[in-house]
């Protein structure tokens, strides 16, 4: 059994076969999926919720991605605060900083990140963090971890560093603030030795796995559209690193997921 802790199932690339993709995941042992509710920005950031309300084994997030931070006007923030009250919403995200693409100005990204941490605190939801520095730099990590420490850590709500690409020191700083570290398909890429090194330093009970579908398909599907069923390849890579089976990685990370989100009672079997 596996949990895909992060998938963008709303994307147009799933329009033709979304139901089959979800069915394939279930057949492959993926018992729960988190549908990330960024959409294309405020026009459809209920996209994760719509899926979660249709499928009992899908949960949702709500949030404005740093790419779309420029679109975070007050009405959008107010609407997210309302949507966050829906019962299937379990986290706020993905939010954070992306200095690689700089689709929104960095000061705007930081402001919107802070505003959303405030909303998440009011909603008592953990946060899902996206952090990507510019090339050969740690700039986004430095800012992101500092803002989390100053503005979020005191809440005690914790969060997830999604699609982790940092180093073991950055992972440790997040772990110390109650965060989970989620690994994605890029951990299987030949050049991703730093991610594999960091993954070995993270205690197994603090690890989650994800696909970030439709992006970042793992080896051997690299370059193709990613989908939740492929999360087993992330488990396989983590298992190889630690000398355990993909099934054991799946069981441990699934347990971590339910524990972190206190979902034991609500767990569904369909
Ligand atoms: Zn991301
Ligand atoms: Zn994502």
């Amino acid at each position: 059994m596996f949990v895909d802790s992060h998938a963008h199932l709303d994307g147009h690339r799933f329009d033709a076969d979304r139901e089959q993709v979800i069915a394939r995941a279930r057949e492959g042992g993926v018992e729960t999926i988190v549908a990330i509710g960024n959409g294309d920005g405020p026009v459809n950031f209920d996209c994760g919720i719509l899926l979660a309300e249709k499928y009992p084994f899908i949960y949702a997030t709500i949030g404005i991605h740093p790419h779309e931070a420029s679109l975070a006007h007050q009405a959008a923030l107010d609407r997210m605060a309302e949507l966050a009250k829906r019962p299937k919403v379990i986290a706020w995200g993905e939010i954070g900083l992306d200095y690689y693409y700089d689709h929104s100005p960095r000061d705007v990204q930081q402001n919107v990140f802070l505003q959303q941490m405030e909303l998440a605190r009011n909603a008592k939801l953990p946060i899902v963090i996206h952090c990507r520095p510019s090339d050969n730099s740690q700039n986004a990590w430095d800012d992101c971890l500092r803002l989390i420490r100053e503005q979020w850590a005191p809440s005690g709500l914790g969060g997830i560093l999604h699609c982790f690409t940092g180093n073991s020191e950055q992972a440790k700083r997040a772990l110390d603030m109650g965060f989970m570290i989620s690994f994605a398909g890029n951990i299987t890429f030949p050049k991703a030795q730093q991610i594999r090194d960091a993954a070995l330093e993270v205690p197994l009970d603090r690890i989650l796995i994800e696909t970030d579908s439709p992006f970042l398909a793992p080896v051997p599907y690299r370059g193709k559209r990613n989908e939740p069923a492929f999360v087993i390849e992330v488990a396989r890579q983590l298992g190889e690193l630690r000398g355990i089976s993909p099934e054991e990685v799946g069981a441990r990370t699934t347990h971590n997921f339910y524990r972190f989100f206190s979902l034991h009672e609500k767990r569904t079997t369909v």
Side-chain angles (χ1 to χ4, degrees), residues 139-202:
N139 51 8
W141 282 112
D142 293 342
D143 286 352
C144 193
L145 290 168
R146 176 177 53 78
L147 292 173
I148 291 171
R149 169 164 299 291
E150 292 170 0
Q151 305 294 330
W152 182 254
S155 77
L157 290 163
I160 299 170
L161 295 190
H162 115 84
C163 189
F164 186 71
T165 56
N167 57 38
S168 56
E169 194 260 332
Q170 287 150 347
K172 184 174 183 316
R173 285 171 65 190
L175 290 168
D176 289 346
M177 295 189 283
F179 273 68
M180 306 292 282
I181 312 288
S182 182
F183 293 95
N186 52 359
I187 195 173
T188 67
F189 295 174
K191 286 185 182 163
Q193 193 56 44
Q194 176 184 291
I195 305 177
R196 288 186 287 275
D197 290 344
L200 265 179
E201 301 286 320
V202 179

Side-chain angles (χ1 to χ4, degrees), residues 119-130:
L119 293 173
R121 183 167 33 243
N122 293 339
K124 297 192 167 51
L125 291 172
I127 52 179
V128 178
I129 295 294
H130 170 104

Side-chain angles (χ1 to χ4, degrees), residues 59-123:
Y59 292 93
T61 71
I62 183 84
I64 292 183
H65 194 283
H67 288 342
E68 281 99 37
S70 307
L71 305 176
H73 45 82
Q74 189 58 46
L77 297 170
D78 292 345
R79 175 147 163 73
M80 283 194 292
E82 276 307 306
L83 287 169
K85 296 173 184 163
R86 304 278 267 272
K88 295 294 289 286
V89 175
I90 58 170
W92 200 291
E94 57 190 282
I95 59 176
L97 302 174
D98 194 310
Y99 295 171
Y100 183 81
Y101 287 109
D102 283 325
H103 285 330
S104 291
R106 291 178 187 179
D107 60 326
V108 174
Q109 290 189 44
Q110 290 171 20
N111 269 332
V112 172
F113 184 27
L114 290 171
Q115 285 173 306
Q116 292 192 91
M117 284 196 273
E118 178 72 34
L119 293 173
R121 183 167 33 243
N122 293 339

Side-chain angles (χ1 to χ4, degrees), residues 4 23 27 43 45 86-87 90-91 97 111 114 124 131 205 207:
D4 182 354
E27 283 155 20
V43 287
F45 52 30
R86 304 278 267 272
I90 58 170
L97 302 174
N111 269 332
L114 290 171
K124 297 192 167 51
C131 179
D205 64 353
I207 289 179

Side-chain angles (χ1 to χ4, degrees), residues 195-263:
I195 305 177
R196 288 186 287 275
D197 290 344
L200 265 179
E201 301 286 320
V202 179
L204 191 49
D205 64 353
R206 304 292 295 279
I207 289 179
L208 300 177
I209 55 176
E210 64 170 278
T211 57
D212 207 11
S213 301
F215 314 110
L216 285 176
V219 174
Y221 306 104
R222 194 172 182 183
K224 300 205 173 99
R225 182 188 69 173
N226 200 0
E227 61 177 71
F230 298 166
V231 77
I232 189 173
E233 301 303 331
V234 180
R236 197 185 311 282
Q237 178 67 76
L238 283 166
E240 270 172 28
L241 288 172
R242 290 178 184 255
I244 57 178
S245 68
E247 288 74 22
E248 178 161 7
V249 173
R252 296 286 297 267
T253 54
T254 295
H255 178 72
N256 296 343
F257 177 85
Y258 290 121
R259 184 191 71 232
F260 180 75
F261 286 110
S262 305
L263 286 172

